[in-house]
Amino acid sequence: MEITALDYIIFFLFVGGVALFGCSFYFRSRKGAAAFTAAEGSLPTWVVGMSIFATFVSSISFLGLPGDAFKGNWNPFVFSLSIPIATWLAALVFIPLYRSVNSVSAYHYLELRLGYWARCYVAICYLLTQLARVGSILLLLALPLNTMFGWDIQTIIIGTGIATLIYTLLGGIAAVIWTDAIQGIILIVGAVACALILTFTMPEGPGQLFEIAMAHDKFSLGSFGISLTEQTFWVVLIYGLFVNMQNYGIDQNYVQRYMTTPSTAAAVKSTLFGGLLYVPVSLIFVYIGTALFAYYQASPDLLPAGTASDKVFPWFIVHGLPTGLTGLVIASLFSAGMSTIATSINSSATIVLTDFVNHGKEKTDEKKNMRVLYVTSFAVGA
């Protein structure tokens, strides 16, 4: 099957709808810097949890995990198994710590312990990382869409960037988190739909999928050996533990969300919900990769020879899904990228205001604060 007018309609309705919904938070975010950067601590627990989940998932995860599982096995899923441990540590240590400091900046605590030089240094590193991250996410989002639609890569990057920047700029963190929640739901629906279709469209039924996968050792989590020079189960688990502790412990994208809930208990619940939700969803993604392998092993004529592993899922989205569902899944892919970009833009503006412009000031001008947040958001987006 090919992309139809219905798929385009669903896709553009989703992107336009998300942008308009995000813009609707303009009157809430313009109340002041506290509203723009922390939503005055008023957001529902489940919404913040979905936002944390969406922060985990980018367009890299959406296409990368199925691609890795198609090419290899379920070893990449081991990374997700470390999340419950890191989430528990966040609930026990990081969230109470940051809530007690009562600063929307993740790096205020560094100043308390080491001095302003440490806060300034890490804040600059964070800003540079976000600039690079936004660029790479946009490019990695544009490449598969270029393959699927034939659209110009620069046009995709500029169009996606502008749409995301508009609602992030107008709606602040409330818009970012609420749209994250919607995008996260669409992403899960799209992934589950793909997994079910792959499972139940095998020529000889679902059993054939598992027979082919088991024959090629596709469900393996990797070697359990103690080698430190190979991508074993233990190496990926330890790597995942440290990366996720970094996310929960020092990443502004996560710490800022701790401050958007009404209480520490709500922040803990949202973090546990968002982090633990990623585990089964990432399992679905690696299952999709394995299912794609079995699907095209059973019907090799449906996949062009020499198709790279990371392009198999985009090919299936365009040629293997029913009309309408293709548009939904492409919207899911878009949602993963837009969520990451919006988060980076808002968090970068927050850091510029709190760690540099307003540092050391007891009283600040709200009009000036909002001007700084708007200008910085626009600059990062541009």
mmCIF file of all heavy atoms in Angstrom, residues 8 11-12 15 137-139 141-147 149-164 334 338 341 381:
data_model
loop_
_atom_site.group_PDB
_atom_site.id
_atom_site.type_symbol
_atom_site.label_atom_id
_atom_site.label_comp_id
_atom_site.label_asym_id
_atom_site.label_seq_id
_atom_site.Cartn_x
_atom_site.Cartn_y
_atom_site.Cartn_z
ATOM 1 N N TYR A 8 -2.310 11.717 4.735
ATOM 2 C CA TYR A 8 -1.833 13.099 4.817
ATOM 3 C C TYR A 8 -2.739 13.931 5.714
ATOM 4 O O TYR A 8 -2.268 14.751 6.514
ATOM 5 C CB TYR A 8 -1.781 13.726 3.417
ATOM 6 C CG TYR A 8 -0.588 13.320 2.599
ATOM 7 C CD1 TYR A 8 -0.712 12.438 1.533
ATOM 8 C CD2 TYR A 8 0.676 13.827 2.878
ATOM 9 C CE1 TYR A 8 0.381 12.068 0.768
ATOM 10 C CE2 TYR A 8 1.782 13.470 2.123
ATOM 11 C CZ TYR A 8 1.623 12.589 1.064
ATOM 12 O OH TYR A 8 2.717 12.228 0.321
ATOM 13 N N PHE A 11 -2.134 13.060 9.355
ATOM 14 C CA PHE A 11 -0.829 13.572 9.764
ATOM 15 C C PHE A 11 -0.875 15.079 10.020
ATOM 16 O O PHE A 11 -0.459 15.561 11.084
ATOM 17 C CB PHE A 11 0.216 13.246 8.695
ATOM 18 C CG PHE A 11 1.549 13.907 8.920
ATOM 19 C CD1 PHE A 11 2.387 13.484 9.927
ATOM 20 C CD2 PHE A 11 1.944 14.968 8.125
ATOM 21 C CE1 PHE A 11 3.615 14.090 10.152
ATOM 22 C CE2 PHE A 11 3.172 15.591 8.334
ATOM 23 C CZ PHE A 11 4.001 15.145 9.346
ATOM 24 N N PHE A 12 -1.416 15.831 9.064
ATOM 25 C CA PHE A 12 -1.424 17.290 9.203
ATOM 26 C C PHE A 12 -2.410 17.754 10.278
ATOM 27 O O PHE A 12 -2.168 18.757 10.948
ATOM 28 C CB PHE A 12 -1.731 17.949 7.862
ATOM 29 C CG PHE A 12 -0.566 17.956 6.912
ATOM 30 C CD1 PHE A 12 -0.589 17.200 5.756
ATOM 31 C CD2 PHE A 12 0.575 18.688 7.202
ATOM 32 C CE1 PHE A 12 0.493 17.186 4.886
ATOM 33 C CE2 PHE A 12 1.664 18.688 6.343
ATOM 34 C CZ PHE A 12 1.624 17.938 5.185
ATOM 35 N N VAL A 15 -0.391 17.276 13.584
ATOM 36 C CA VAL A 15 0.657 18.278 13.791
ATOM 37 C C VAL A 15 0.037 19.647 14.054
ATOM 38 O O VAL A 15 0.419 20.359 14.985
ATOM 39 C CB VAL A 15 1.600 18.338 12.576
ATOM 40 C CG1 VAL A 15 2.621 19.463 12.741
ATOM 41 C CG2 VAL A 15 2.331 17.016 12.401
ATOM 42 N N ILE A 137 18.227 15.735 16.426
ATOM 43 C CA ILE A 137 16.879 15.161 16.452
ATOM 44 C C ILE A 137 16.110 15.571 15.201
ATOM 45 O O ILE A 137 15.423 14.767 14.562
ATOM 46 C CB ILE A 137 16.119 15.593 17.719
ATOM 47 C CG1 ILE A 137 16.747 14.974 18.974
ATOM 48 C CG2 ILE A 137 14.634 15.206 17.619
ATOM 49 C CD1 ILE A 137 16.650 13.478 19.046
ATOM 50 N N LEU A 138 16.214 16.845 14.827
ATOM 51 C CA LEU A 138 15.518 17.326 13.627
ATOM 52 C C LEU A 138 16.017 16.618 12.375
ATOM 53 O O LEU A 138 15.229 16.239 11.501
ATOM 54 C CB LEU A 138 15.702 18.838 13.486
ATOM 55 C CG LEU A 138 14.787 19.707 14.350
ATOM 56 C CD1 LEU A 138 15.249 21.155 14.338
ATOM 57 C CD2 LEU A 138 13.353 19.623 13.845
ATOM 58 N N LEU A 139 17.327 16.429 12.287
ATOM 59 C CA LEU A 139 17.874 15.743 11.118
ATOM 60 C C LEU A 139 17.431 14.292 11.080
ATOM 61 O O LEU A 139 17.005 13.777 10.026
ATOM 62 C CB LEU A 139 19.401 15.832 11.127
ATOM 63 C CG LEU A 139 20.099 15.090 9.968
ATOM 64 C CD1 LEU A 139 19.664 15.640 8.629
ATOM 65 C CD2 LEU A 139 21.614 15.176 10.113
ATOM 66 N N LEU A 141 14.847 13.065 12.334
ATOM 67 C CA LEU A 141 13.415 13.035 12.045
ATOM 68 C C LEU A 141 13.171 13.254 10.551
ATOM 69 O O LEU A 141 12.287 12.640 9.947
ATOM 70 C CB LEU A 141 12.709 14.121 12.857
ATOM 71 C CG LEU A 141 11.196 14.256 12.693
ATOM 72 C CD1 LEU A 141 10.495 12.990 13.153
ATOM 73 C CD2 LEU A 141 10.686 15.460 13.456
ATOM 74 N N ALA A 142 13.982 14.124 9.964
ATOM 75 C CA ALA A 142 13.788 14.474 8.557
ATOM 76 C C ALA A 142 14.204 13.351 7.605
ATOM 77 O O ALA A 142 13.581 13.158 6.556
ATOM 78 C CB ALA A 142 14.577 15.742 8.232
ATOM 79 N N LEU A 143 15.233 12.602 7.968
ATOM 80 C CA LEU A 143 15.750 11.566 7.056
ATOM 81 C C LEU A 143 14.705 10.495 6.714
ATOM 82 O O LEU A 143 14.487 10.202 5.538
ATOM 83 C CB LEU A 143 17.010 10.930 7.648
ATOM 84 C CG LEU A 143 18.252 11.834 7.674
ATOM 85 C CD1 LEU A 143 19.397 11.148 8.409
ATOM 86 C CD2 LEU A 143 18.682 12.177 6.252
ATOM 87 N N PRO A 144 14.039 9.872 7.707
ATOM 88 C CA PRO A 144 13.021 8.877 7.347
ATOM 89 C C PRO A 144 11.821 9.479 6.632
ATOM 90 O O PRO A 144 11.221 8.836 5.766
ATOM 91 C CB PRO A 144 12.616 8.264 8.694
ATOM 92 C CG PRO A 144 13.000 9.266 9.713
ATOM 93 C CD PRO A 144 14.218 9.933 9.170
ATOM 94 N N LEU A 145 11.456 10.718 6.994
ATOM 95 C CA LEU A 145 10.328 11.354 6.309
ATOM 96 C C LEU A 145 10.678 11.658 4.856
ATOM 97 O O LEU A 145 9.823 11.596 3.977
ATOM 98 C CB LEU A 145 9.924 12.633 7.036
ATOM 99 C CG LEU A 145 9.275 12.421 8.408
ATOM 100 C CD1 LEU A 145 9.037 13.758 9.098
ATOM 101 C CD2 LEU A 145 7.959 11.668 8.272
ATOM 102 N N ASN A 146 11.943 11.984 4.621
ATOM 103 C CA ASN A 146 12.410 12.162 3.249
ATOM 104 C C ASN A 146 12.316 10.855 2.474
ATOM 105 O O ASN A 146 11.898 10.819 1.305
ATOM 106 C CB ASN A 146 13.860 12.671 3.262
ATOM 107 C CG ASN A 146 14.500 12.645 1.888
ATOM 108 O OD1 ASN A 146 15.257 11.726 1.572
ATOM 109 N ND2 ASN A 146 14.209 13.634 1.085
ATOM 110 N N THR A 147 12.655 9.744 3.142
ATOM 111 C CA THR A 147 12.559 8.421 2.509
ATOM 112 C C THR A 147 11.108 8.052 2.226
ATOM 113 O O THR A 147 10.787 7.522 1.149
ATOM 114 C CB THR A 147 13.188 7.348 3.421
ATOM 115 O OG1 THR A 147 14.553 7.690 3.662
ATOM 116 C CG2 THR A 147 13.115 5.975 2.781
ATOM 117 N N PHE A 149 8.205 10.144 2.225
ATOM 118 C CA PHE A 149 7.392 11.079 1.453
ATOM 119 C C PHE A 149 8.112 11.622 0.212
ATOM 120 O O PHE A 149 7.475 12.079 -0.725
ATOM 121 C CB PHE A 149 6.993 12.276 2.320
ATOM 122 C CG PHE A 149 5.989 11.960 3.380
ATOM 123 C CD1 PHE A 149 6.161 12.430 4.668
ATOM 124 C CD2 PHE A 149 4.862 11.210 3.102
ATOM 125 C CE1 PHE A 149 5.235 12.161 5.664
ATOM 126 C CE2 PHE A 149 3.932 10.934 4.084
ATOM 127 C CZ PHE A 149 4.113 11.411 5.367
ATOM 128 N N GLY A 150 9.451 11.621 0.300
ATOM 129 C CA GLY A 150 10.206 12.269 -0.760
ATOM 130 C C GLY A 150 10.303 13.767 -0.549
ATOM 131 O O GLY A 150 10.742 14.501 -1.440
ATOM 132 N N TRP A 151 9.901 14.256 0.645
ATOM 133 C CA TRP A 151 9.967 15.690 0.932
ATOM 134 C C TRP A 151 11.414 16.136 1.099
ATOM 135 O O TRP A 151 12.283 15.364 1.502
ATOM 136 C CB TRP A 151 9.196 16.015 2.202
ATOM 137 C CG TRP A 151 7.728 15.797 2.123
ATOM 138 C CD1 TRP A 151 6.995 15.565 1.000
ATOM 139 C CD2 TRP A 151 6.803 15.781 3.210
ATOM 140 N NE1 TRP A 151 5.679 15.405 1.322
ATOM 141 C CE2 TRP A 151 5.523 15.534 2.669
ATOM 142 C CE3 TRP A 151 6.931 15.951 4.584
ATOM 143 C CZ2 TRP A 151 4.382 15.464 3.458
ATOM 144 C CZ3 TRP A 151 5.793 15.882 5.365
ATOM 145 C CH2 TRP A 151 4.531 15.642 4.810
ATOM 146 N N ASP A 152 11.660 17.409 0.816
ATOM 147 C CA ASP A 152 12.987 17.987 0.976
ATOM 148 C C ASP A 152 13.373 18.020 2.457
ATOM 149 O O ASP A 152 12.573 18.421 3.315
ATOM 150 C CB ASP A 152 12.995 19.403 0.403
ATOM 151 C CG ASP A 152 14.342 20.083 0.586
ATOM 152 O OD1 ASP A 152 15.321 19.630 -0.022
ATOM 153 O OD2 ASP A 152 14.396 21.061 1.361
ATOM 154 N N ILE A 153 14.593 17.591 2.764
ATOM 155 C CA ILE A 153 15.039 17.484 4.158
ATOM 156 C C ILE A 153 15.045 18.850 4.847
ATOM 157 O O ILE A 153 14.584 18.988 5.984
ATOM 158 C CB ILE A 153 16.441 16.841 4.225
ATOM 159 C CG1 ILE A 153 16.346 15.352 3.863
ATOM 160 C CG2 ILE A 153 17.046 17.005 5.623
ATOM 161 C CD1 ILE A 153 17.659 14.633 3.858
ATOM 162 N N GLN A 154 15.539 19.882 4.167
ATOM 163 C CA GLN A 154 15.573 21.206 4.779
ATOM 164 C C GLN A 154 14.166 21.728 5.054
ATOM 165 O O GLN A 154 13.913 22.361 6.081
ATOM 166 C CB GLN A 154 16.326 22.184 3.876
ATOM 167 C CG GLN A 154 17.815 21.891 3.787
ATOM 168 C CD GLN A 154 18.575 22.940 2.987
ATOM 169 O OE1 GLN A 154 17.990 23.927 2.561
ATOM 170 N NE2 GLN A 154 19.855 22.723 2.789
ATOM 171 N N THR A 155 13.230 21.437 4.151
ATOM 172 C CA THR A 155 11.840 21.865 4.343
ATOM 173 C C THR A 155 11.229 21.199 5.575
ATOM 174 O O THR A 155 10.531 21.838 6.366
ATOM 175 C CB THR A 155 10.996 21.518 3.105
ATOM 176 O OG1 THR A 155 11.566 22.151 1.952
ATOM 177 C CG2 THR A 155 9.553 21.983 3.283
ATOM 178 N N ILE A 156 11.505 19.907 5.757
ATOM 179 C CA ILE A 156 10.994 19.179 6.923
ATOM 180 C C ILE A 156 11.559 19.776 8.206
ATOM 181 O O ILE A 156 10.821 20.012 9.180
ATOM 182 C CB ILE A 156 11.357 17.686 6.836
ATOM 183 C CG1 ILE A 156 10.711 17.038 5.608
ATOM 184 C CG2 ILE A 156 10.908 16.955 8.108
ATOM 185 C CD1 ILE A 156 11.210 15.633 5.327
ATOM 186 N N ILE A 157 12.868 20.041 8.219
ATOM 187 C CA ILE A 157 13.518 20.583 9.409
ATOM 188 C C ILE A 157 12.942 21.949 9.765
ATOM 189 O O ILE A 157 12.578 22.220 10.915
ATOM 190 C CB ILE A 157 15.046 20.678 9.197
ATOM 191 C CG1 ILE A 157 15.666 19.276 9.165
ATOM 192 C CG2 ILE A 157 15.698 21.524 10.286
ATOM 193 C CD1 ILE A 157 17.133 19.262 8.817
ATOM 194 N N ILE A 158 12.814 22.826 8.774
ATOM 195 C CA ILE A 158 12.316 24.178 9.033
ATOM 196 C C ILE A 158 10.845 24.139 9.447
ATOM 197 O O ILE A 158 10.432 24.796 10.415
ATOM 198 C CB ILE A 158 12.510 25.067 7.781
ATOM 199 C CG1 ILE A 158 14.007 25.278 7.525
ATOM 200 C CG2 ILE A 158 11.803 26.413 7.971
ATOM 201 C CD1 ILE A 158 14.317 25.985 6.228
ATOM 202 N N GLY A 159 10.042 23.338 8.747
ATOM 203 C CA GLY A 159 8.616 23.252 9.062
ATOM 204 C C GLY A 159 8.365 22.697 10.450
ATOM 205 O O GLY A 159 7.572 23.248 11.235
ATOM 206 N N THR A 160 9.052 21.607 10.783
ATOM 207 C CA THR A 160 8.901 20.998 12.109
ATOM 208 C C THR A 160 9.394 21.944 13.195
ATOM 209 O O THR A 160 8.759 22.111 14.244
ATOM 210 C CB THR A 160 9.692 19.683 12.194
ATOM 211 O OG1 THR A 160 9.330 18.838 11.113
ATOM 212 C CG2 THR A 160 9.420 18.969 13.509
ATOM 213 N N GLY A 161 10.534 22.558 12.949
ATOM 214 C CA GLY A 161 11.108 23.471 13.930
ATOM 215 C C GLY A 161 10.194 24.654 14.209
ATOM 216 O O GLY A 161 9.985 25.034 15.367
ATOM 217 N N ILE A 162 9.619 25.239 13.161
ATOM 218 C CA ILE A 162 8.742 26.399 13.335
ATOM 219 C C ILE A 162 7.473 26.003 14.097
ATOM 220 O O ILE A 162 7.053 26.691 15.035
ATOM 221 C CB ILE A 162 8.391 27.022 11.971
ATOM 222 C CG1 ILE A 162 9.623 27.704 11.367
ATOM 223 C CG2 ILE A 162 7.240 28.027 12.110
ATOM 224 C CD1 ILE A 162 9.421 28.238 9.968
ATOM 225 N N ALA A 163 6.850 24.881 13.700
ATOM 226 C CA ALA A 163 5.617 24.438 14.360
ATOM 227 C C ALA A 163 5.855 24.198 15.848
ATOM 228 O O ALA A 163 5.046 24.600 16.698
ATOM 229 C CB ALA A 163 5.093 23.167 13.696
ATOM 230 N N THR A 164 6.980 23.561 16.177
ATOM 231 C CA THR A 164 7.289 23.265 17.578
ATOM 232 C C THR A 164 7.646 24.531 18.344
ATOM 233 O O THR A 164 7.226 24.728 19.489
ATOM 234 C CB THR A 164 8.456 22.265 17.664
ATOM 235 O OG1 THR A 164 8.161 21.123 16.856
ATOM 236 C CG2 THR A 164 8.671 21.810 19.097
ATOM 237 N N PHE A 334 6.574 11.705 14.381
ATOM 238 C CA PHE A 334 6.722 13.153 14.501
ATOM 239 C C PHE A 334 6.599 13.594 15.950
ATOM 240 O O PHE A 334 7.316 14.485 16.413
ATOM 241 C CB PHE A 334 5.649 13.838 13.655
ATOM 242 C CG PHE A 334 6.204 14.806 12.656
ATOM 243 C CD1 PHE A 334 6.863 14.338 11.533
ATOM 244 C CD2 PHE A 334 6.073 16.164 12.832
ATOM 245 C CE1 PHE A 334 7.392 15.228 10.601
ATOM 246 C CE2 PHE A 334 6.589 17.055 11.919
ATOM 247 C CZ PHE A 334 7.249 16.587 10.791
ATOM 248 N N MET A 338 9.050 16.074 18.032
ATOM 249 C CA MET A 338 8.554 17.375 18.488
ATOM 250 C C MET A 338 8.650 17.504 20.005
ATOM 251 O O MET A 338 8.968 18.570 20.529
ATOM 252 C CB MET A 338 7.112 17.566 18.019
ATOM 253 C CG MET A 338 6.954 17.743 16.523
ATOM 254 S SD MET A 338 5.217 17.778 15.993
ATOM 255 C CE MET A 338 4.697 19.372 16.635
ATOM 256 N N ILE A 341 12.265 18.270 21.001
ATOM 257 C CA ILE A 341 12.664 19.629 20.617
ATOM 258 C C ILE A 341 12.042 20.659 21.554
ATOM 259 O O ILE A 341 12.722 21.579 22.031
ATOM 260 C CB ILE A 341 12.243 19.900 19.157
ATOM 261 C CG1 ILE A 341 12.969 18.947 18.207
ATOM 262 C CG2 ILE A 341 12.551 21.343 18.775
ATOM 263 C CD1 ILE A 341 12.328 18.853 16.840
ATOM 264 N N GLY A 381 15.434 27.989 19.234
ATOM 265 C CA GLY A 381 14.665 27.387 18.142
ATOM 266 C C GLY A 381 15.232 27.746 16.778
ATOM 267 O O GLY A 381 15.323 26.891 15.879
#
